[in-house]
Amino acid sequence: MKLYSIGSGAITLELIHSIMTEGHQLALSEEAAKKINDCHNYLHEKIKVSTAPIYGINTGFGSLQSVSIDNDQLEALQSNLLKSHACGTGDEVPQEIVKLMLFLKIQSLSYGHSGVQLSTVQRLIDFYNHDIIPVVFTQGSLGASGDLAPLAHLSLPLLGIGEVYVMGKRKAASAMLQQFGWEPLHMKAKEGLALINGTQFMSAYGVHCLLLAKKLTHVADVVAAASIDAFDCRLDPFNELIHQIRPHKGQLETAKFISEILAGSELINQSGKQTQDPYSFRCVPQVHGASKDALNYVEWVFLTEINAVTDNPNVFPAEDLILSGGNFHGQPLALALDFLCIALSELGSISERRTFQLISGLRKLPAFLVAKPGLNSGLMIPQYTAASIASQNKQLCTPASVDSIVSSNGQEDHVSMGANAAVKAYKVVQNLVSILGIEWLNATQALELRRPLKSSPFIEKLFTSFREEVAFITEDRQLSIDIEKSKQFIVEQIIAE
């Protein structure tokens, strides 16, 4: 069994993907365990000797910060916090994202600035290792003061409250504790606050979306290359000389990759081509490349976040300080998630335009890529579907980060709405898979209509594999089935190339 030691170093997207997909178990490093213990012990010694108000530890929360809490009520305060803040609603968060939330919460607590008990962190690790997935909902977080409602639902099962999935079966958290022979935890000072403060809902969505989005930029290039060949385009726009004089990193990489995977194509080397191609083909390096560069920025933001402490207040034992701040504010993530939506939406927008060109009856291709158009509608309506989805993505690109609604009686007077940005980014990613799947279905149909001329060995290999799943369209049939198979193919086959 593979084991990953929390606290052994910085985490990356690639490391998270490996941990999540290869069945790693988690354990705390000795250094992380010591930091957690030292911080917890310092905090409780401080509470014993100090009567000064410490936010969220011996005071109320938000606008109730001026309410003092007696020492004998500190544990009840933290348990009440988890219960009162579990106000999520809407759809359930996908289980793979909830498991990622668990991992990222453990990582953040491991730095030893949160004041939690070691046993609390260990129980979260037990949840992860036993695939116990709390039921969490998509709506309820303002993305400032942390992801309060989602993280409250994530943490409630520690108390034996709420619901979880165990081996895919939904059950009461109390029944889960009995199943594993565990007692409910008793929250010590600050623990409830440490658990629900933080950006792990936004971060988990962002990491999940980034992992798929990075793969989809590769898919978009491959699908575009197939369309470029199918539409009888020129290769000139991908010449490296053009891109060396406007050297955006993503643009350079895209032009180079398209040139490489079209090498050896009979179609691309035909004579008699038009002088220039439509932008959706000619400007693939510039458009796809810009989206890749945007994703690189988004990744930098999220790598910083997932290797950080994001609760409040922060405890610094070595400096003998407990400081209230705002590391829970999701503004960096909200802006980055909105940027992610825009970058991915553009990949879908230009893809739909290539699909439109392919079915337009141009360049010796039949209208809607089918014999006897009129009797057959062919691939007319899949373009409608792609257009509808591309339009929805554009609507989802309305930025969440520019909105703010005052909460907590004005104490929390500016919020990021990053949680909303996260949920819509997830939808944009899923939509992009559909749009690219539809383009691939059209591109392969057009390539077959170009026979006997063939594309490059790279494209032909994929084309042959695809034909084992989806037959050439000779007459009208239910194309929703083909679209789903095409979507599955680009995710499972093209990403693997």
Side-chain angles (χ1 to χ4, degrees), residues 34-47 115-116:
K34 184 177 186 303
K35 287 180 179 178
I36 292 168
N37 264 331
D38 288 350
C39 184
H40 176 73
N41 292 337
Y42 163 81
L43 175 62
H44 282 264
E45 287 301 315
K46 193 73 172 178
I47 294 169
V116 298

Side-chain angles (χ1 to χ4, degrees), residues 37 67 70 183 260 276 374 392 403 440 448 457 494:
N37 264 331
V67 178
D70 295 336
E183 292 294 324
E260 289 173 350
Q276 287 193 331
Q392 184 183 68
D403 190 24
W440 177 250
E448 190 146 348
I494 295 182

Side-chain angles (χ1 to χ4, degrees), residues 22 34 63 154 161 168 228 242 279 284 302 344 391-392 394 446 481 487:
E22 296 176 11
K34 184 177 186 303
S63 65
L154 186 79
I161 305 172
I228 287 164
I242 292 174
Y279 287 1
V284 166
F302 275 88
L344 297 181
S391 179
Q392 184 183 68
K394 294 172 189 177
I481 298 171
K487 288 166 57 178

Side-chain angles (χ1 to χ4, degrees), residues 53-69:
I54 308 172
Y55 174 76
I57 296 175
N58 55 17
T59 74
F61 306 105
S63 65
L64 297 175
Q65 62 174 319
S66 59
V67 178
S68 297
I69 308 298

Side-chain angles (χ1 to χ4, degrees), residues 12-27:
T12 64
L13 295 186
E14 292 74 21
L15 177 61
I16 290 174
H17 177 72
S18 174
I19 292 169
M20 298 291 290
T21 59
E22 296 176 11
H24 285 70
Q25 298 276 285
L26 303 182

